[in-house]
Amino acid sequence: MTSDFYQQSILPFAGIIIKICRAYTNTQEDFEDYYQEVCLQIWRSKDNFNEQSEWSTWIYRISLNVCLTYLKKQKNGHSTIVSDALPEEVVDNSKAFANDDINVLYNAIKHLSETDRAVILLYLEEKSYQEISDIIGSNINHIGVRINRIKTKLSKFIASKE
């Protein structure tokens, strides 16, 4: 992967990747592995981007797919990610594991189904219902109802932990 591609096509969307990877990992080490794998897959699949959606939508979809794939592999006892050092700006922006309030929210989000996690993360990124449905491959008419149900689940979970 070239430095230019990373600087221009990935780094501006690092926040998206960080949030998704954070929601599907439990440790800083796993987070860093997932982040790197997402970046690698974005670079590998860049020629498949057909501009039918926004680049950010493409980033979301790849990030979710990578995280879900590796989550399933971890559940099955397979781990194929090999970590190198992340760029310093990503490490500095990814210290969410050190913030207790954010940890409470991410802990609650982790108790959701994999699809509900994706939906709420996109909602928290202020994506439109259309964008959310495009990214997760769901019907737009169900997104609003699903978000309300997720909010209720999260509120109940957080309240039960207080």
Side-chain angles (χ1 to χ4, degrees), residues 120-158:
I120 199 65
L121 290 172
L122 294 167
Y123 175 78
L124 292 172
E125 280 289 320
E126 301 179 355
K127 294 295 182 184
S128 70
Y129 287 3
Q130 181 64 55
E131 288 174 298
I132 295 170
S133 69
D134 289 344
I135 291 167
I136 66 165
S138 178
N139 185 324
I140 189 172
N141 297 327
H142 298 117
I143 297 298
V145 172
R146 189 172 209 158
I147 288 171
N148 287 329
R149 288 180 183 159
I150 294 168
K151 286 179 183 179
T152 301
K153 286 180 189 177
L154 290 173
S155 295
K156 286 180 181 178
F157 182 84
I158 291 170

Side-chain angles (χ1 to χ4, degrees), residues 61-75:
R61 182 164 278 178
I62 291 173
S63 299
L64 285 171
N65 288 339
V66 168
C67 289
L68 293 174
T69 297
Y70 282 97
L71 187 65
K72 289 175 186 172
K73 286 184 178 183
Q74 278 187 328
K75 285 180 183 178

Side-chain angles (χ1 to χ4, degrees), residues 17-38 63 66-68 70-71 74 81 94 96-97 102-103 105-111 117 121:
I17 301 167
I18 287 169
K19 288 175 185 164
I20 292 172
C21 292
R22 173 63 176 95
Y24 290 94
T25 58
N26 294 315
T27 66
Q28 185 70 26
E29 293 79 21
D30 284 346
F31 163 81
E32 291 175 8
D33 289 344
Y34 277 50
Y35 183 91
Q36 285 189 323
E37 188 62 27
V38 167
S63 299
V66 168
C67 289
L68 293 174
Y70 282 97
L71 187 65
Q74 278 187 328
I81 300 176
S94 69
F97 289 90
I102 293 174
N103 284 337
L105 176 60
Y106 275 106
N107 186 41
I109 290 171
K110 286 180 184 175
H111 285 85
R117 278 188 236 178
L121 290 172

Side-chain angles (χ1 to χ4, degrees), residues 46-58:
K46 68 186 181 309
D47 293 335
N48 295 331
F49 179 65
N50 56 17
E51 298 183 30
Q52 290 181 346
S53 63
E54 296 290 323
W55 181 252
S56 62
T57 302
W58 181 256

